[in-house]
Amino acid sequence: MSVVINQPVNTLPVLTYRWLKLNELKLSEPIGIPIKPYSKQFVANLDAVKQMIEIDTGPPAAEIQVLGAGVSSQLTRLSQTSANTGIQIIVPPNTVVEQPLEIAYRLDADDCSVIDNNLIIAEADSQITLIFDYSSAPDAAVVHNGLTQIVAKSGSVVNIVKIQRMQDQAVHFDAVMAEIEPHARVNLIQAELGGKLAVTNYVTNLHQAADTKINSLYFGDQDRVIDVSYLMNHIGRHSTSQLTARGVLKDRARKAFKGTLDFKKGASRAEGSEHEYVLLLDPTVKSDSVPLLLCGEEDVKGEHAASCGKFDPDQLFYLMSRGFDKIQATKLIVEAVFSPVIGEIPNDKLQTVISEVIQRRLAGE
Amino acid sequence: MAERFLVIKDLHVNVEDSPILKGLNLEVGRGEVHVIMGPNGAGKSTLANVLLGHPKYEVTAGTIEFEGKLLNDLKPDERAKLGLFLSFQYPEEIPGVTMENFLRMAKIAQTGESISITKFNRILREKMDLLAMKPEYASRYVNDGFSGGEKKKSEILQMLVLEPKLAVLDETDSGLDVDAVRVVAQGVKQYRSSENAIVIITHHSRILEYIQPDYVHFLIDGRIAKSGGPELIAEIEQSGFAALQSQSGRA
Amino acid sequence: MRKKTQVADVNRSLYDIKDKFEYSFKTDGLNEDVIREISAQKNEPDWMLEFRLKSLGIYHKLDVPPWGPDISGLDIDNIITYVKPKTDLNVTWDDVPEDIKNTFVRLGIPQAEHKYLAGVGAQYDSEVVYHSVQENFRKQGVIYLDMDTAVKEYEDLVRKHFMKCVPPSDHKFAALHGAVWSGGSFVYVPAGIKVEIPLQSYFRSNAPGAGQFEHTLIIVEEGASLHFIEGCSAPKYSVNNLHAGCVELYVKEGAFLRYSTIENWSKNMYNLNTKRAIVEKNGTIEWISGSFGSKVSMLYPMSILKGEGARSDYTGITFAGEDQVLDTGTKVVHAAPYTTSNINAKSISKSGGVSVYRGVVRVLPNAHHVKSSISCESLMLDSDSRSDTIPVLDINNDEVDIGHEAKIGRISDEVIFYLMSRGISEEEARAMIVRGFAEPIAKELPLEYAVEMNNLIRLELEGTIG
Ligand SMILES: Nc1ncnc2c1ncn2[C@@H]1O[C@H](COP(=O)(O)OP(=O)(O)O)[C@@H](O)[C@H]1O
Ligand SMILES: [Mg+2]
């Protein structure tokens, strides 16, 4: 059995001019997602954490209310009804799980679709880190569609790392939704490095003194289409959010970055910031940014900044004067763009893997 | 005492519910120059801000009197009109408002008398010359894009124009090069008279080479830990605050 | 206890004086007969009638945009499409009927003409009632006419440019404009001529329930320069009015055009205006835009930088008060290499007003060495109001230098303290800060307009609320 995906994805929270064609991303062709079981082991270190938390593999038994449409209501529904994998976690109160839980999916000709539905509930003052790693076998036309719901109860900390490094034939849809209760924090690191189409959507409700930090990294090469969307709903007083996105675009890659800070009435003393840095390496790339600031409360601070261009000629000159050729210098500069984010990933092996993927793609291999 | 100019008694001040000043006593007489020194975070700027009535600083006990008048419940503009002035450690920037307009409005607000644009302009130019400030500063926006040194000069300019009775200079000499310190010090000397008083908060003795203080106080952990004459400056240059700090840690 | 800023609503009493609704001819509604009637009244060439009918067809095909403010309160089909005032075009104020003249005198137009303008056009409802330009500029070949006259006297020039920059197919209200346009100004500045003092057209809408659809067409030839000022106002009626004007600007090689607008329509006006400039090699368009009035505004002056080295500067302020939704911003298309754009947008929201910055900077694939800098700043004066920033960057070349910054916030308590410590009262301090916020725009306006703008942002401050 297979489901056909045809609805537009990543619709903006507030629409703007139609001629820009940025209000939503229309799929260039319908995408079929086969529905069949996923066969491999996917939690690498289950035994290490099993004693501390309640964990079940497989999609959650009960549905919880979604915070938004996700990538699209059609895709979110698909994960809710037809998931072939997933995990459910409850971290008991005051429990601090030091070791990151590693979840890795490898898609290939046999396991050509991953539809995961994950639910993470962090009880009061608990802490947990999860790493999701999606990769695929060369030349395999595969699809991933994911839904990860997080409930961070008061004072808890949830760290999520999502690495997508699939091959050029892959399609990736991923929605993360976080309800962040008072004084809780959710940190998200997201790296979009592969696939022909990569669409991600993060939405969060921030309650009183809740905080979210997002580090987003993308690398676009070949004909990749990247569409990333973030929506921070500041609901509670003193809630805070910081989003930093860093990207490099090369060849004919196209990217749309959609980041929205929404200060609801009553969210006094809330502060939110959004920064995007894009490095453009070829004249044939396309870089779209839609940083929205929506505000219904007087006593807030919101800012966003975006910069976009080739690298600084002074920087390049400096490096070349030290004997680097242009390609080496480019590698160095790209590494400098990404390294602050990569350095935050709590897994040395993955750090190396990501650096290698980027260097390989930069070299056009 | 015959003349009660500024009298601070047993002042307790909280910032965001944590106590910063913890029973501070200080008297400043007309015509006097006082210097307050103390380690970072001791509460010097807190004292300066609370003198002008910053709403964030909460007086939990004690009194501040100026010329016999209780200041505790007065708003900042009312205190300014009584003749108090603060040269801010970190002056605010006000885009879109020119120095000249701002100072003229402030002058009118304080004196209650209107002053013609030309007459005011003349006074302003005169004071700016004194501080070696280029005339174009008059038409620039208040502190907007000023360097650290320019901001400090702008504070002294405001003092000279507004002619307060009591001026508190919060680290006005910090971050200035040698020449700028001299210019600022000249401004202060020009202002000094037997009719007014100056409280200089500083970390450096350089400015005190130009302006002889009458009294020196060490402010440590929210209290005046030691007071004396100018000779205290040499003492602190030699041994630092550490020794005093351990003494004041007693109660 | 938190202190609240009290900034007064825009003082509109001056603009609100209504004249008696008198006219020599009017049309209600929108259909082919109405269009033929308008065209016949104007005694237009046939091509213009055809153009109007074609536009009407397009109007019926297009839908209202699914984005932006709610305009469902607007009943276009029943709007009065054409109101001919009870006078013809005049060349001296003395010939303008007393009540209409008084209206313009109250708005200061004849006085301004006398003091610092090179020419003035005054439109009352659908038709221009006064037009004149200084003799020395006329001698240099500068044409400044009402649009209806220009269609006849400069038919070829008009036909070549009319709605070529903003085609009727652009959006529903552009199509509506194409069908029922009336009045407006035509300006032609010959090559090399620098018009050093500004020209001004003032648009006054008096008729209740009417639409105003003036068309402004400006051609600034090679190396020439011009400052054009547009003013608009209307008294407030209980029925809704519509303004769907169109401004087309052609800035030729090395030419300079500054287009300033102080818009102060009444709060029953739907201001759905379209403004666009095409800028050739090394030409410059500067938009200065103050939006204070209207119930709903959708206004995004657009610059198409068509020639190498062309530049667009946009400086805008929007002040949305009670019952207002002011959706404004700018669109820039970098269509050639070495083009530059600067955007400096500010907004103030109070008493339930909604201000929106909506804009786009698009860099086309062939446009290398493009520079663009965008800054949006919003000030919220209370929590009943809204402020949204909706910018888009659409970059299709790598050889670019694009910077975007947006900030939203309130008046800082520290700055208030600083000013108060200098003896300035809290109320005055807040007023100073708000005026300072608007100053970068005021600075760009001729003094008289800056004064008008400061009056519009009348700052009347109250005490403290708990
Ligand atoms: N506005 C403020 N908000 C929060 N804390 C403050 C504020 N002002 C001062 N403090 C705190 O009060 C203490 C004293 O600061 P300050 O008076 O600035 O010291 P000094 O000027 O002697 O270096 C410090 O611990 C400082 O962090
Ligand atoms: Mg200090």
Side-chain angles (χ1 to χ4, degrees), chain A residues 240-279:
Chain A
T240 50
S241 68
Q242 304 97 52
L243 161 62
T244 310
R246 297 158 200 270
V248 173
L249 298 177
K250 168 175 188 293
D251 304 327
R252 293 156 310 278
R254 305 158 59 102
K255 169 244 41 171
F257 166 85
K258 302 161 179 172
T260 304
L261 290 170
D262 190 350
F263 296 101
K264 308 285 187 191
K265 186 169 177 164
S268 54
R269 308 288 168 100
E271 288 188 24
S273 68
E274 222 180 272
H275 296 269
E276 193 198 14
Y277 309 97
V278 197
L279 189 57

Side-chain angles (χ1 to χ4, degrees), chain B residues 44-45 89 170-171:
Chain B
K44 303 182 296 296
S45 294
Q89 184 175 4
D170 190 359
E171 298 204 23

Side-chain angles (χ1 to χ4, degrees), chain C residues 161-196:
Chain C
H161 293 94
F162 186 85
M163 293 199 86
K164 291 290 192 296
C165 177
V166 181
S169 56
D170 212 69
H171 57 85
K172 193 169 182 72
F173 300 99
L176 177 66
H177 177 90
V180 300
W181 78 271
S182 179
S185 292
F186 174 74
V187 186
Y188 180 83
V189 186
I193 301 298
K194 306 220 181 296
V195 183
E196 272 119 13

Side-chain angles (χ1 to χ4, degrees), chain A residues 97-154:
Chain A
V97 184
E98 296 283 356
Q99 198 183 353
L101 189 64
E102 291 166 28
I103 297 140
Y105 290 104
R106 173 85 177 171
L107 291 86
D108 53 30
D110 293 327
D111 282 319
C112 61
S113 76
V114 165
I115 306 171
D116 55 340
N117 184 1
N118 311 302
L119 176 60
I120 298 139
I121 299 173
E123 296 288 356
D125 301 309
S126 65
Q127 268 189 44
I128 189 160
T129 301
L130 291 103
I131 302 175
F132 293 84
D133 177 25
Y134 302 93
S135 62
S136 72
D139 303 319
V142 300
V143 186
H144 165 240
N145 178 48
L147 171 63
T148 303
Q149 285 174 283
I150 300 161
V151 180
K153 302 249 171 108
S154 81

